[in-house]
């Protein structure tokens, strides 16, 4: 059986026993907060722009949001060419600045200045996607010298970001009618905090106790593909499935359960109803809990061989696919359990793969391995993002109901936007 070879990151005992740098959790949480704009905030932004949940303009909005997936897929590998003159740490700073630009657009241009120009949507989500493509794999590679304890804290920042925005702020809205713009401003102001925290923990050089963590460029790593790529392929394939489910189920659920109330026991049941705000809060809560727990559990298992890692990977895949199957049954209460399963599988996949790359892949190919794994997985994210309407049709079965699968706008447009002008296509907004 395979175990970590002499050129793997686990060779460094110093890294293995290094105390965790918990600020890595803060950095990841702050940056990934920008990614939360694909969740409930996406729906709020759509309504702020007077876009309904059906029609040509709605589809245009969906495809603009999908630029997140296109952008991060392109830049995951493209950064090695476009930003090849920068060090890995410098690329992280560039990514965080670009993310700040993207997430600043909704609260500033749309909610504060009242612009209804739909061109802000592709500009914002495209910038977020490009930033994510650079940040995620590069940040994980940069902090590898800090050890697995730091890495385990860092990857929990991903679901924590969604938990804060989708549970905490959504609860504030439901309980105290807090304006949604507060959530958008929180996301934007997180980025300067993340930049300062990263400056605090970023390794100052490429060595730990004399062991090199200098990364080979992508072309060099690809020339030595046989030393790391073949055994990484199963992880990449499972990542496709996980990303497809994550990027399609999340917005599809928000677009399906879009009436004032949700029927918990099926679309035709009228006796067990819940306010949509609270349904989505619980949905986001179980989704976040599943993702966070699984990322921690993934680091608790001592997977010493490649076959053991493959077995753990298969478990993650099964959880994710079962979550998708249960979601498309169209039963709201069941969606809570399906979300937990799907995102548990996604988080477990993330943790198992991160550990595998750091332990089994030669150190100099660490960045290339993360880049390829994420780039391939992002292909599933693109498919999920552009097929949101298809997944919604699986859930709805081509029907409309009083409490789900509505085609109209489910929330009133904020009064501050009532007299604003400048829409991209005023004639068909309510089509």
């Amino acid at each position: 059986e395979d175990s970590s070879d002499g050129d793997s990151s686990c060779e460094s005992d110093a890294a293995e026993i290094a105390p965790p740098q918990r600020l890595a959790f803060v950095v990841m949480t702050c940056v990934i907060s920008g990614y939360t704009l694909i969740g409930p905030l996406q729906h709020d932004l759509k309504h702020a722009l007077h876009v309904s949940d059906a029609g040509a303009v709605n589809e245009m909005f969906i495809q603009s949001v999908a630029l997140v997936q296109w952008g991060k897929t392109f830049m995951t590998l493209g950064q090695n060419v476009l930003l090849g003159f920068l060090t890995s740490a410098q690329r992280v700073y560039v990514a965080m600045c670009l993310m700040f630009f993207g997430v600043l657009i909704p609260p500033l241009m749309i909610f504060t200045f009242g612009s209804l120009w739909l061109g802000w949507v592709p500009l914002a989500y495209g910038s977020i996607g490009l930033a994510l493509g650079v940040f995620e794999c590069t940040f994980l590679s940069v902090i590898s010298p800090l050890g697995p304890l730091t890495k385990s804290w860092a990857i929990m920042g991903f679901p924590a970001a969604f938990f804060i925005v989708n549970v905490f702020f959504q609860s504030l809205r439901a309980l105290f009618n807090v304006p949604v713009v507060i959530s958008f401003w929180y996301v934007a102001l997180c980025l300067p905090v993340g930049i300062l925290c990263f400056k605090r923990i970023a390794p100052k050089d490429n060595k730990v106790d004399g062991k090199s963590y200098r990364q080979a460029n992508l072309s060099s790593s690809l020339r030595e593909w046989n030393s790391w790529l073949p055994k990484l392929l199963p992880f990449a394939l499972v990542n496709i499935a996980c990303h497809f489910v994550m990027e399609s189920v999340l917005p599809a659920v928000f677009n399906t359960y879009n009436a004032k109330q949700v029927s918990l026991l099926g679309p035709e049941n009228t006796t067990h109803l819940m306010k949509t705000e609270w349904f989505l809060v619980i949905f986001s809560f179980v989704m976040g809990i599943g993702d966070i727990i699984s990322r921690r559990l993934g680091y608790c298992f001592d997977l010493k061989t490649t076959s053991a890692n493959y077995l753990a990977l298969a478990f993650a895949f099964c959880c994710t696919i079962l979550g998708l199957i249960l979601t498309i049954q169209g039963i709201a209460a069941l969606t809570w359990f399906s979300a937990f399963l799907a995102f548990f599988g996604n988080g477990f996949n993330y943790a198992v793969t991160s550990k595998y790359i750091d332990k089994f892949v030669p150190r100099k190919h660490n960045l290339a391995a993360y880049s390829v794994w994420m780039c391939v997985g992002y292909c599933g994210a693109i498919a999920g993002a552009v097929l949101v309407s298809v997944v919604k049709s699986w859930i709805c079965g081509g029907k409309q109901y009083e409490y789900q699968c509505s085609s109209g706008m489910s929330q009133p447009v904020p009064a501050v936007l009532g007299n604003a002008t400048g829409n991209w296509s005023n004639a068909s907004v309510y089509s």
Side-chain angles (χ1 to χ4, degrees):
E1 287 290 344
D2 295 306
S3 60
S4 54
D5 59 30
D7 195 28
S8 70
S9 62
C10 72
E11 181 189 17
S12 175
D13 293 335
E16 286 287 345
I17 63 175
Q21 298 291 330
R22 293 182 176 87
L23 283 180
F25 171 85
V26 179
V27 176
M28 181 71 88
T29 301
C30 288
V31 177
I32 299 303
S33 291
Y35 198 17
T36 65
L37 267 64
I38 67 169
L41 293 183
Q42 172 193 160
H43 208 242
D44 292 313
L45 183 62
K46 181 195 293 186
H47 287 155
L49 291 169
H50 296 198
V51 178
S52 69
D53 287 334
V57 178
N58 171 65
E59 190 62 28
M60 184 183 300
F61 182 92
I62 290 175
Q63 299 311 319
S64 295
V65 173
L67 287 176
V68 169
Q69 315 307 336
W70 290 103
K72 71 180 185 179
T73 302
F74 172 74
M75 284 303 290
T76 298
L77 294 179
Q79 63 166 306
N80 294 282
V81 177
L82 299 177
L83 302 178
F85 59 95
L86 299 176
T87 66
S88 295
Q90 289 170 339
R91 296 182 197 182
V92 173
Y93 285 117
V94 169
M96 289 193 285
C97 291
L98 184 57
M99 177 69 78
F100 182 54
F101 169 77
V103 300
L104 191 60
I105 289 174
L108 185 63
M109 303 309 299
I110 297 173
F111 286 94
T112 300
F113 293 148
S115 173
L116 295 183
W117 182 53
L118 292 185
W120 294 123
V121 181
L123 184 59
Y125 282 93
S127 299
I128 291 170
L130 294 173
L132 283 171
V134 177
F135 174 80
E136 192 173 0
C137 58
T138 309
F139 177 66
L140 291 177
S141 177
V142 166
I143 65 173
S144 289
L146 302 179
L149 295 179
T150 295
K151 185 70 68 70
S152 69
W153 274 94
I155 68 172
M156 287 193 294
F158 200 111
F162 279 84
F163 190 90
I164 292 171
V165 173
N166 294 349
V167 176
F168 177 70
F169 279 103
Q170 290 291 329
S171 297
L172 290 181
R173 290 176 63 189
L175 289 171
F176 306 110
N177 201 29
V178 174
V180 68
V181 69
I182 299 298
S183 300
F184 283 99
W185 276 118
Y186 160 78
V187 170
L189 296 178
C190 270
L191 269 299
V193 175
I195 292 172
L196 293 176
C197 290
F198 179 67
K199 181 177 175 59
R200 179 78 177 270
I201 67 169
K204 300 299 186 292
D205 53 42
N206 294 304
K207 291 187 176 182
V208 173
D209 281 9
K211 299 182 183 296
S212 177
Y213 280 82
R214 183 178 297 277
Q215 296 300 297
N217 58 49
L218 183 63
S219 59
S220 297
S221 293
L222 291 178
R223 283 196 295 270
E224 300 178 21
W225 63 272
N226 58 330
S227 68
W228 60 275
L229 185 55
K231 292 177 181 177
L232 192 64
L233 288 180
F235 296 90
L237 294 175
V238 170
N239 210 25
I240 292 176
C242 289
H243 274 81
F244 175 83
V245 173
M246 183 170 64
E247 303 298 346
S248 62
V249 165
L250 193 61
V253 166
F254 298 135
N255 289 337
T256 297
Y257 302 102
N258 57 353
K260 295 289 186 181
Q261 292 180 299
V262 173
S263 176
L264 296 178
L265 301 184
E268 298 179 347
N269 181 277
T270 59
T271 58
H272 295 81
L273 305 177
M274 174 179 284
K275 289 184 64 176
T276 300
E277 292 91 339
W278 284 114
F279 169 77
L280 293 178
V281 165
I282 297 173
F283 175 84
S284 300
F285 177 82
V286 297
M287 179 186 73
I289 289 296
D291 210 345
I292 292 174
I293 290 176
S294 61
R295 289 173 189 245
R296 185 59 181 168
L297 282 178
Y299 266 85
C300 291
F301 288 100
D302 188 14
L303 305 174
K304 296 181 180 297
T305 66
T306 296
S307 59
N309 278 273
Y310 287 170
L311 184 62
L313 195 64
F315 172 72
F317 175 79
C318 291
C319 288
T320 298
I321 297 302
L322 182 57
L324 174 62
I325 293 172
L326 294 178
T327 298
I328 64 178
Q329 302 308 305
I331 301 174
L334 186 60
T335 300
W336 293 333
F337 178 62
S338 69
F340 177 88
L341 272 182
F343 282 81
F344 185 96
N346 175 70
F348 202 72
N349 158 63
Y350 204 107
V352 169
T353 305
S354 296
K355 282 185 64 179
Y356 181 86
I357 290 175
D358 288 345
K359 190 170 186 178
F360 289 87
V361 172
R363 277 193 300 271
K364 63 181 180 179
H365 302 313
N366 187 276
L367 178 57
Y370 275 116
S371 297
V372 170
W373 172 61
M374 290 184 178
C375 185
V376 173
Y378 290 161
C379 294
I382 291 174
V386 300
L387 295 175
V388 168
S389 298
V390 174
V391 175
K392 179 183 176 181
S393 71
W394 294 347
I395 301 173
C396 299
K399 300 178 181 179
Q400 295 185 27
Y401 302 93
E402 181 180 359
Y403 298 111
Q404 65 191 60
C405 303
S406 171
S407 62
M409 294 183 69
S410 60
Q411 301 175 16
V413 178
V416 70
L417 299 179
N419 297 319
T421 60
N423 208 312
W424 201 0
S425 178
N426 291 321
S428 59
V429 169
Y430 294 98
S431 59

